[in-house]
Structures are given as C-alpha cells and as structure tokens.
Amino acid sequence: MQKAFLWKLNSLKKNWLINCSYNPHRNNIGKHLDIISRSLDTLSTKYENILILGDFNACVDDEDLKSFCKSYSLSSLIKQPTCFKNPENPSCIDLILTNKPCSFQTKCVIETGLSDFHRMTICVLKMHFRKLPPKVINYRDFKNFDNERFMNSLQYTLAEEHIDYSRNPDKFFEICQNVLNNHAPRKKKYIRGNNKPFMTKAYSKAIMARTRFRNKFLKNPSEQNKANYNKQRNYCVSLLRKDKKEYFAKLDEKNITDNKKFWHTVKPFLSDKVKTREAIILVDNNDILSKENEVAKTFNNFFSNIVKNLNIPEYQCEDDIHVRLFCNPALQAIMKYRNHPSIKTIGHSMQHSSSFYFSPVAKNTVLKEIEKLNTKKAVQDTDIPVKVLKANADFFAEQITRQFNEGICSSKFAESFKFANVTPVFKQGSRNLKDNYRPISILPIISKLFEKLLCKQLSSFFDNIFSKFQCGFRKGFNAQHCHLLMIDKWKKAVDNNKVFGAVLTDLSKAFDSISHDLLIAKLNAYGLSFPALKLIQDYLFNRKQRTKVGSSYSTWEIIISGVPQGSILGPLLFNIFLCDLFLEHENCYFTNYADDTTPYVVANNTAEVIENLTNITHKLFTWFANNQMKANYDKCHLLLSTQEDANIQLTNGTINCSRQQKLLGIIFDNKLKFDKHVENICQKANRKLNALSRVTNYMELPKRRILMNAFFKAQFNYCPVIWMFHSRSLNNKINRLHERCLRIIYNDKLSNFEELLVKDNSVSIHHNNIHTLAIEMYKVANNISPEIMKDVFKLREETYYNLRHTTEFVTNQINSVYHGSESASYLGPKIWEQIPNAIKNKDSLIGFKKEIKKWIPLNCPCRICKTFIPNLGFI
C-alpha cells in the first residue's frame, strides 16, 4: 500500500513543503511518483522549497526516479547505501530529495539497531546563511539630464577643437564621453546582495519595524508585545503580496521576456546555470581565489592564452625572408600563404570577374541602423548610451556616416572600437574551475554600428560563394535546415536497406584559433580588393580585451588570433574562413552549423561506409591541421545505422562508434529515434511550469499568456520538424504538459484539453509542428527557401498535360513505415495536398503563416493523427 503525507515547515520566513512517502513494491515506482507529482503540481505553486523523503524501493539512478527528479529539479542528499537486505550488494533506496540541496548539511546514514536491514538517513537544515556582500552598480545619472543642453554643449566643444572628426573618430567619441560625463555623470550605488526588484521603500521600512517589534517581544514576552509583533508580521506579508502584484502589473507586455529585473528574478527558477551568488570563487593550482581582482586576472590570463595552450603548430613558410621584404601586413599575409592548400583550392574554384570594394553609405542607411538599436542590450560603462544615440539620431548619423566613409577610403578602423570588456559566463560542471566559463565580449556600440554596415556589404558578396551546407550565421538559414537534409537521407537509406554513417567532429576553441594572416590571404583569394583587405586587417589587428568580475577589471591584453566574439562581423569572417573546406569536398555531404561539421555517407554495407568515412575524415582533419585548428579526438564520435562495433583509425587518434549522440542541440540514436530528446524537452518544460506557476499568481491574464508562450511553448519550437515523428505515448505526455500550462494560464480546473485550446485560440504542439512543416513547404514552393531544402522537398517538373491528382511536390516511394512514411520528405507533400488553395496561394510568407496557424488537417496521414484500434492497428 502506497502512502504519502504532506507537512508544512516554516524556517526563517521560508515555507517548506515536506512529503513523506512509502512505496512497498519496486515495480510500482512509476505509479507512486505519479501520485507525488499530482500533489506537487497542486501545491508547488505556493512553495519554493520542496523536501521529499521516504522509502522509495528504487535507486535514484532508476529511469523513472531520474526523470521525476529532472522534472522538478530535485537532487538526492543521500549517496551512501541504506538497505542491507543483500549485504553483498547494498542499495540506496531510502532517499531525501530536495530542490535546495545547498540549504542542508551533515547528510549521513547511521545504524540504529531498530531495523533489520535499513539504516537511518539524517540531514540537517541550515538555519543561518552567510550574508551576501552588497552589490556595486555602476550607472549614469540621468536625473538632471537635459538633452538640449547636452547637444549645445557638445556642438560648442566640437567647434572649439577645430579637428576633422571624420579622420579622427577616436577624438570625436572621446569628446562625446567627456561632455556626457558632465551632463550625466557616472555614479555608483550599493544594493543588498539579495535585493529583489519588487522591493519598495515602504516594504523595507515595514521589515525594520517588524524587527524592532520582534526584538522588543523577545526581551519582554508580554501579550501586548506579542500582538504588536504578530500584527506587523501580518502587515509585512500583505504588503509583500501587494508590492509583487504592482510590480508585475507595471511590466510592459512587449518587453516582459526581456525585462532585466524580471529575468533576474525568474531565471533562478528556470535554469541551474544562473549565478546563485554574486561572487565567483576559483580553485587554480590548488589556490582558492575569492577576491574579485584576483579572479578577474586569472580569467583574463586564461581567456587570452587559450589558443597558446592548445600548442597548435605554426605554418611554415618556404620563403620567409622574401615575405619580410613587404612592409604592409596584408601583403605579408598574402605572400606568406600563397602556396597554402586552401589558397590553391580557392584559386581553382573561383572565377573572378571583378574585385570587391567597400562602398560609401548614405546618412539614411545609418539612421535606420541607429533606430534598430536595442536600449536593453548591454553596453560598456564608458560607452555612449543607446538612448542618447537614438534621441540625437540625426546628429550622430551624420557624424558616423562621415567617419565610416572616411574609414573606407583610408582603410582604417578606429582604435577605440577595438577594446572589449569580457564577462565570464558559467557553462556547466563545477563553478570553481575556470575551464567551465565562456567569455562574452561587450564591444562599443559605435563599433557594432560600423560592423553592421561592413557586414551587409560583405555578406552580399559571399552569399553566392558560401556552400549550401553552411547554415550558421546566415539570413534565412537555421539548424533545422541542415538537420533535415541529413536525417531525410538517412531515413531513405534505411528504407532502401542501405547503411549510413557519420562522424561528429569537435574543434577546440575554433573561433579563437583563426589565424588573422591566413584569413586575409583567403579573402584576397576570394577577390577582395587591396583597400578592403587593409580595412579588415586593421579591424583584426591590435584588438584588446579585459575581464570584468563584479566591479573589478583585469589589465588589458592583446588578442593575436581569432575573430572577435560578441561582434557582428566575427561570425561572417568565421564562415569565410571555413568556406574552402566545402570547396575541397564538393562530392561529400555535410551537416554544418558554425564550428560543428559532420560528414556523412550512404552505402550498401558497413565496410563501404567505414572506408568512405575514413577517407573523408582523414581529408577533413588534414584540412583542420593545415588551417591551424585543433581537432578534439576525445569528443569526436562515429555513428552507424547498424549495431556493429566499428571505429575509424586516423594518424593522431581513433574515433569510436556510439549508439546515441547530440548534434546541434538534438539528441538522436542510430535508429533515428528522438525519444530521449523529446523526454528532455518535456522535463525542461515541466521545470519551467513549476517555476512560472509561482509568479503567475501575481499577473494578469495577458501577461500570463505571454510568459507561458515565451518560456513554456518555446521549448517545443526548436527544430520541431526533426523530432515530430515520435510515439503516441510521448505525444500524450506533451499534451498533458500543454493542458497543465493552459490550466495555469486560465486558472481553469474543469475544462478538458480541447476546451482549453478553444479558449486559448491555439492548437496542440503536434499541430503546431505540422504548421512548421507546411511553412517550409511554402518557402520551397515560392523559391524563398535555402538551396539545401530543395534536396528534401522536390518540386514536380512541369508537364504539357493537365493530369488529375497532380501535386506540386514529388512524393517518395516508400518501403517501410518509420523510415519511409514517417519522414519529412514523405509527409510534407501529403500535408501540402490538404492545405486549401486559398492559403497556399498567399502572396507573402507573413500572410501564409497567419492563415496556416488557423488550419487543422482533418485527414493527416501521420501515425499520431491516425485512429488506433486495439488488435487491428492504425486506420
């Protein structure tokens, strides 16, 4: 008999929900966890802190229990064996699960003699926590700022200097910052370490009054003092609820998902990657570093020497003495790499009719870019605020236009635009190791404007040069496109009794490893003019960065390689650097997105697949070595559609076979099943629901809908056409989550799922996936899709005969269900046939998207939509 009891514990003004349960049979653990889940779904909206303890008769590593813990962000405090029924193989089945493990200490197991087999589990709840130090906030004081006075002062100062600022942009922006400092001075303020954005002065005063009444009551515990304390305590609770409701009510609906204060309040509930404390403590060479300046220095040395520590061999030029005769760095780079394999490949592939030159821009173009700037984006402390730029857009656009056009003529990029502030952001693993942080660069806002103008012109030149397999950092391309072609080819191979294989490669610090000189040589080979090369070379040369931790900065360090991270131009330059890889392997198929490059082949048997993949991988890794990039063999994997154990032997390492891998955020196995991926999506969505349900009580209906769409439904919007062919049981699980989401939004516990969808004027997640597939079909039909999609959805060739039942897309011949009919290339044309012509003939993609969201297929041929009859099958 399963038992579960619930208690409420008040500890330091924190409410704890305690669940004590007993599961007598191991096989019933799934049902037992369902009972607990229903209790948590009902009560977790009121409690941030959860504690579940009892005899589960299942280990925490069991799949059911592991899934349950992931859904509610729970971790086990007990690691030692607790049940010794089998002394030779004791198990840990008496568990204590919580979503706040840092609130406990002294977790142990002891023998009491009260039980034959079980030991007592003990944990101690902390009652006191170390107070967080105050946070230092740097800001500009706009309290007395007068824009008209600022502009008059700025123009007067500029006129006094008698300088041609189009030739000296550094001086121009230095004067702008100095004048701005007088009108909106930079200041510091200190706030509490645990400050919440909904805290008000009235609530702070009420807390202080509550503390005074409490201290008075403790000194003299009379009835009057107790009544005064209880009254003030209840007043604080009601005031807090009132302040929270007012805070959420004032949030702008358009910016609710971008509001910084709101994000910092909610994100700790949504992700375990958010910083739980302001201070970063590092362990480096057995030393514990806690001071901000020491941590900043350590991070900066690590980030600056990442490439040096990889020990990548330098390119050896055959005629180094002759190269040094050239004074210009761009000419030196061209001569140094003139015999490089990549330069020769580009030379054989390219037929240049004319060179590329950067063109001057008009003032209106700059004005449009200034209008697009987001005031919410992070900027440097010494930068010109975006709102000042936008308020005086006409003046700054004129100055920026002149400086940009002068920079093109002189091939110079302003030195002050090359300084980046780096913030270390935690990735995963231990927070005390510097390797587990990635550097996020904050560049001057004017630098990004210049980069946007350069990027637009350079992108239009390379759009026809890039390989169709390059799907990263390109307008109109996304990760779903490169996945679709690969998965579709694999399914066709298995459907035709063939074998597929792929090598998932991994590069170490790919963006940081790019050689500036080799990049310049490649740009020259592609046809950039010498003035354009000099400008790009000056953009890359002498860049500096420093690391910021808290309010402390490290010293400046020069960056000698890599494209600037956090920049606009950096991703485009990375794509250009990688482009000749695909020119060299024209007859191969790749899945590529940024630095993730996966070659794959289809053949008649495993031996042929291994042979072809070995040849391709050898050439690929040779290209990496020639281009001074470091392949990480330990993180490279071989994926085969067969169950055979195989590997690829290379000169410097071995790539072993794997049954399941993650590529570009999608988990799949060699049977092309995505059950693990869908399970992970559901767990993330469940965690989001648990967190958001605690704040939606303070919000009105429109904001609740926006919030749920942004944080819950968004979980299912990444590459849905890839994983949409899953089982009916997983679809039911998704629907249950969706139903729970709608119940929270509308506070409706009576309506069924279909009624809730009608109330929300929306469709199920599965029908939304079908709409996404239809949108891809529309893009192909109207020639606005990436070229790679035309290999998946093939248009029917025009004929002279007007045949009945003809479709616009070719329908594949299939031999099996899962790998044949349950593929995008087969289902897509079937769905397209059912879409009414009034929707298919829409003139614009926006109009098609608007109409398709209202359409529900009545006779969808997919397995999920078909009716299932026991002992008969799907009909």
Side-chain angles (χ1 to χ4, degrees):
M1 180 179 178
Q2 298 166 348
K3 296 181 181 180
F5 302 95
L6 295 172
W7 282 279
K8 173 185 172 183
L9 173 68
N10 289 331
S11 168
L12 287 176
K13 300 179 281 297
K14 292 183 179 180
N15 290 333
W16 281 85
L17 177 65
I18 302 179
N19 180 300
C20 297
S21 60
Y22 169 61
N23 175 46
H25 302 292
R26 185 184 187 91
N27 295 334
N28 291 336
I29 184 63
K31 294 180 180 178
H32 183 68
L33 294 176
D34 284 340
I35 295 173
I36 299 177
S37 296
R38 287 195 292 271
S39 302
L40 293 180
D41 291 344
T42 304
L43 298 172
S44 61
T45 58
K46 302 177 182 178
Y47 301 92
E48 295 182 11
N49 309 291
I50 299 172
L51 183 67
I52 305 174
L53 60 161
D55 182 358
F56 286 82
N57 258 306
C59 297
V60 75
D61 292 330
D62 289 358
E63 281 302 318
D64 288 333
L65 200 52
K66 189 188 295 185
S67 176
F68 171 77
C69 290
K70 284 184 178 180
S71 297
Y72 294 93
S73 301
L74 302 173
S75 56
S76 176
L77 300 179
I78 305 301
K79 307 296 182 183
Q80 307 98 314
T82 62
C83 179
F84 290 81
K85 193 170 185 178
N86 182 357
E88 297 179 358
N89 185 24
S91 58
C92 180
I93 60 174
D94 302 289
L95 304 174
I96 302 178
L97 308 176
T98 181
N99 62 339
K100 297 295 175 73
C102 295
S103 297
F104 292 87
Q105 63 184 21
T106 317
K107 311 132 189 175
C108 63
V109 176
I110 62 172
E111 175 62 63
T112 63
L114 299 176
S115 173
D116 293 337
F117 310 119
H118 293 265
R119 294 185 179 180
M120 180 181 289
T121 57
I122 295 177
C123 65
V124 179
L125 177 65
K126 297 179 184 178
M127 298 297 291
H128 299 281
F129 295 86
R130 183 170 59 89
K131 188 177 180 180
L132 291 175
K135 297 178 184 178
V136 182
I137 305 295
N138 296 304
Y139 70 102
R140 282 195 183 274
D141 185 7
F142 282 95
K143 185 177 181 179
N144 300 316
F145 180 77
D146 187 312
N147 190 64
E148 186 176 348
R149 288 176 55 199
F150 163 70
M151 286 305 301
N152 290 336
S153 178
L154 177 60
Q155 290 172 345
Y156 177 79
T157 308
L158 291 172
E160 270 194 333
E161 293 288 338
H162 301 293
I163 297 174
D164 184 0
Y165 296 107
S166 62
R167 296 176 181 270
N168 195 347
D170 293 331
K171 186 64 177 177
F172 171 78
F173 290 107
E174 180 185 343
I175 292 173
C176 289
Q177 290 168 2
N178 291 335
V179 174
L180 185 62
N181 288 341
N182 293 329
H183 291 264
R186 290 197 296 270
K187 292 185 176 181
K188 290 183 179 179
K189 66 178 179 181
Y190 295 85
I191 62 174
R192 292 166 58 99
N194 60 346
N195 182 67
K196 301 298 182 185
F198 43 75
M199 288 285 290
T200 61
K201 288 184 179 180
Y203 182 57
S204 298
K205 290 181 179 179
I207 291 177
M208 288 188 285
R210 182 187 65 187
T211 304
R212 287 196 302 269
F213 283 120
R214 179 177 179 274
N215 293 337
K216 192 174 180 180
F217 168 67
L218 292 176
K219 290 180 181 179
N220 181 17
S222 65
E223 290 297 326
Q224 183 61 41
N225 289 340
K226 181 179 180 181
N228 292 339
Y229 169 60
N230 289 339
K231 182 179 179 181
Q232 186 65 24
R233 183 184 60 185
N234 295 337
Y235 173 70
C236 287
V237 172
S238 62
L239 188 61
L240 177 60
R241 289 173 181 168
K242 176 176 170 291
D243 288 344
K244 281 186 177 182
K245 287 184 178 180
E246 289 181 356
Y247 166 73
F248 288 116
K250 290 178 182 177
L251 286 177
D252 187 356
E253 290 183 9
K254 295 180 181 178
N255 300 322
I256 191 170
T257 58
D258 296 323
N259 186 288
K260 284 186 178 180
K261 291 182 179 179
F262 177 76
W263 181 247
H264 287 309
T265 305
V266 176
K267 191 174 180 181
F269 300 127
L270 305 181
S271 172
D272 58 354
K273 294 183 180 180
V274 69
K275 290 188 290 186
T276 57
R277 57 188 175 191
E278 186 67 22
I280 299 176
I281 299 176
L282 292 181
V283 178
D284 188 43
N285 294 327
N286 295 324
D287 293 329
I288 299 176
L289 308 177
S290 58
K291 294 182 179 179
E292 289 182 348
N293 58 343
E294 294 178 344
V295 175
K297 181 180 178 181
T298 302
F299 270 127
N300 204 50
N301 290 336
F302 173 67
F303 293 148
S304 302
N305 296 306
I306 278 179
V307 179
K308 189 184 295 184
N309 295 333
L310 293 177
N311 297 320
I312 299 175
E314 291 189 12
Y315 177 74
Q316 299 298 322
C317 178
E318 298 175 356
D319 191 7
D320 192 49
I321 298 176
H322 182 65
V323 170
R324 294 176 185 174
L325 296 176
F326 294 89
C327 298
N328 187 278
L331 284 175
Q332 287 182 350
I334 293 170
M335 293 304 297
K336 179 180 178 180
Y337 288 97
R338 66 186 184 277
N339 293 321
H340 190 275
S342 289
I343 303 301
K344 291 182 178 179
T345 299
I346 297 170
H348 291 316
S349 303
M350 299 297 297
Q351 297 295 330
H352 302 301
S353 56
S354 60
S355 296
F356 169 82
Y357 290 85
F358 285 112
S359 304
V361 298
K363 179 182 174 181
N364 287 338
T365 304
V366 179
L367 268 173
K368 290 179 181 177
E369 294 300 331
I370 292 178
E371 289 172 1
K372 293 177 184 177
L373 292 175
N374 188 352
T375 56
K376 301 294 183 182
K377 292 291 184 180
V379 295
Q380 295 183 355
D381 294 339
T382 57
D383 212 349
I384 301 175
V386 174
K387 67 178 182 180
V388 174
L389 282 175
K390 300 184 85 166
N392 307 285
D394 192 70
F395 170 78
F396 282 106
E398 185 175 346
Q399 297 293 333
I400 292 170
T401 303
R402 274 194 248 155
Q403 292 163 15
F404 178 82
N405 293 338
E406 178 61 32
I408 287 176
C409 295
S410 61
S411 299
K412 291 290 183 182
F413 197 82
E415 290 296 319
S416 60
F417 296 167
K418 302 179 185 179
F419 290 77
N421 289 336
V422 173
T423 301
V425 176
F426 175 67
K427 295 185 293 185
Q428 59 183 0
S430 173
R431 292 181 181 272
N432 303 123
L433 300 179
K434 60 190 177 185
D435 306 69
N436 295 332
Y437 290 79
R438 65 160 57 93
I440 301 298
S441 299
I442 307 298
L443 293 165
I445 193 67
I446 307 298
S447 169
K448 290 192 173 184
L449 281 173
F450 274 52
E451 290 183 51
K452 280 185 180 180
L453 299 171
L454 294 173
C455 190
K456 281 190 172 183
Q457 297 186 30
L458 202 57
S459 293
S460 60
F461 177 76
F462 275 95
D463 274 344
N464 295 326
I465 298 175
F466 285 141
S467 168
K468 67 179 181 180
F469 298 117
Q470 289 182 273
C471 295
F473 313 124
R474 297 178 67 185
K475 187 176 180 180
F477 289 73
N478 56 47
Q480 182 169 264
H481 292 142
C482 55
H483 266 305
L484 261 176
L485 178 62
M486 178 184 72
I487 298 297
D488 191 70
K489 284 193 171 295
W490 290 0
K491 285 193 173 184
K492 285 180 181 177
V494 178
D495 191 51
N496 292 316
N497 295 321
K498 292 188 177 183
V499 178
F500 70 78
V503 175
L504 283 69
T505 64
D506 183 82
L507 294 172
S508 297
K509 309 300 178 184
F511 283 80
D512 298 310
S513 303
I514 289 180
S515 165
H516 292 169
D517 287 347
L518 180 53
L519 176 59
I520 294 297
K522 288 187 178 186
L523 289 169
N524 174 69
Y526 281 121
L528 263 69
S529 64
F530 189 65
L533 287 176
K534 287 174 63 180
L535 179 58
I536 297 297
Q537 196 276 335
D538 193 61
Y539 166 81
L540 294 169
F541 179 72
N542 201 32
R543 300 194 74 90
K544 296 180 181 179
Q545 72 176 33
R546 64 179 179 178
T547 302
K548 178 184 179 183
V549 175
S551 57
S552 298
Y553 291 91
S554 67
T555 56
W556 292 102
E557 291 285 344
I558 296 178
I559 306 303
I560 59 174
S561 66
V563 292
Q565 296 191 47
S567 66
I568 305 296
L569 202 53
L572 174 61
L573 295 177
F574 182 85
N575 271 352
I576 294 170
F577 190 86
L578 207 67
C579 185
D580 64 277
L581 166 65
F582 306 99
L583 296 175
E584 189 173 325
H585 301 86
E586 291 183 349
N587 298 323
C588 302
Y589 278 96
F590 290 91
T591 292
N592 171 263
Y593 195 94
D595 59 333
D596 286 307
T597 304
T598 302
Y600 57 92
V601 297
V602 172
N604 294 319
N605 53 64
T606 305
E608 191 177 344
V609 166
I610 294 296
E611 181 182 357
N612 292 340
L613 272 180
T614 301
N615 294 333
I616 295 171
T617 307
H618 176 74
K619 292 180 181 178
L620 184 64
F621 279 48
T622 301
W623 187 93
F624 290 153
N626 290 338
N627 286 267
Q628 296 168 257
M629 304 183 90
K630 183 73 175 266
N632 190 345
Y633 285 85
D634 293 336
K635 293 185 179 180
C636 295
H637 300 279
L638 168 66
L639 196 72
L640 291 173
S641 58
T642 62
Q643 297 296 328
E644 301 177 43
D645 288 328
N647 56 53
I648 292 180
Q649 298 289 340
L650 299 174
T651 306
N652 296 324
T654 302
I655 301 177
N656 295 314
C657 191
S658 177
R659 298 284 178 256
Q660 180 177 278
Q661 279 303 318
K662 184 177 183 179
L663 178 62
L664 300 180
I666 301 291
I667 303 173
F668 56 91
D669 57 25
N670 62 339
K671 297 300 180 183
L672 299 181
K673 292 186 178 294
F674 301 90
D675 292 2
K676 180 67 174 177
H677 179 75
V678 178
E679 287 280 1
N680 280 1
I681 296 176
C682 291
Q683 289 167 6
K684 290 179 182 178
N686 202 353
R687 288 201 297 269
K688 297 274 190 299
L689 278 180
N690 293 333
L692 293 173
S693 61
R694 294 198 286 270
V695 297
T696 51
N697 295 330
Y698 302 102
M699 306 180 74
E700 299 296 329
L701 176 61
K703 291 180 181 177
R704 290 204 299 267
R705 291 191 73 225
I706 293 173
L707 197 62
M708 287 300 184
N709 286 332
F711 293 109
F712 172 76
K713 289 187 180 179
Q715 300 299 313
F716 301 94
N717 290 341
Y718 181 73
C719 300
V721 179
I722 306 301
W723 53 263
M724 65 181 291
F725 302 101
H726 50 70
S727 64
R728 294 168 70 91
S729 60
L730 284 176
N731 187 63
N732 293 335
K733 187 172 185 178
I734 294 173
N735 287 342
R736 286 197 299 271
L737 284 171
H738 194 183
E739 180 181 350
R740 183 179 159 212
C741 172
L742 294 175
R743 292 195 188 283
I744 293 173
I745 293 174
Y746 294 100
N747 195 21
D748 185 344
K749 298 180 181 180
L750 300 177
S751 303
N752 58 33
F753 184 42
E754 288 72 20
E755 292 170 342
L756 288 168
L757 287 174
V758 172
K759 183 181 290 189
D760 191 55
N761 194 25
S762 62
V763 296
S764 66
I765 300 296
H766 177 66
H767 283 149
N768 192 64
N769 296 342
I770 291 176
H771 293 164
T772 305
L773 177 60
I775 290 170
E776 291 297 337
M777 305 292 293
Y778 178 87
K779 290 179 182 179
V780 175
N782 291 273
N783 202 29
I784 55 175
S785 179
E787 184 183 352
I788 197 172
M789 286 294 91
K790 296 177 182 177
D791 293 343
V792 180
F793 307 111
K794 296 180 180 179
L795 288 166
R796 187 179 298 278
E797 296 181 2
E798 294 184 3
T799 64
Y800 293 102
Y801 304 99
N802 185 18
L803 301 176
R804 295 179 63 188
H805 305 300
T806 57
T807 60
E808 300 173 25
F809 289 92
V810 176
T811 303
N812 297 330
Q813 298 295 322
I814 60 171
N815 300 313
S816 62
V817 175
Y818 183 76
H819 297 103
S821 61
E822 295 193 359
S823 63
S825 61
Y826 178 82
L827 182 62
K830 297 288 186 181
I831 295 295
W832 188 255
E833 287 180 3
Q834 295 189 23
I835 300 175
N837 290 331
I839 299 178
K840 287 195 288 188
N841 295 332
K842 285 291 177 181
D843 295 333
S844 67
L845 179 60
I846 295 175
F848 180 82
K849 287 181 177 180
K850 184 178 179 181
E851 294 298 322
I852 199 66
K853 289 179 180 178
K854 304 174 185 176
W855 175 75
I856 297 178
L858 298 177
N859 298 307
C860 179
C862 75
R863 177 173 53 168
I864 291 175
C865 294
K866 288 181 179 178
T867 303
F868 178 79
I869 299 178
N871 301 322
L872 186 60
F874 294 100
I875 60 170

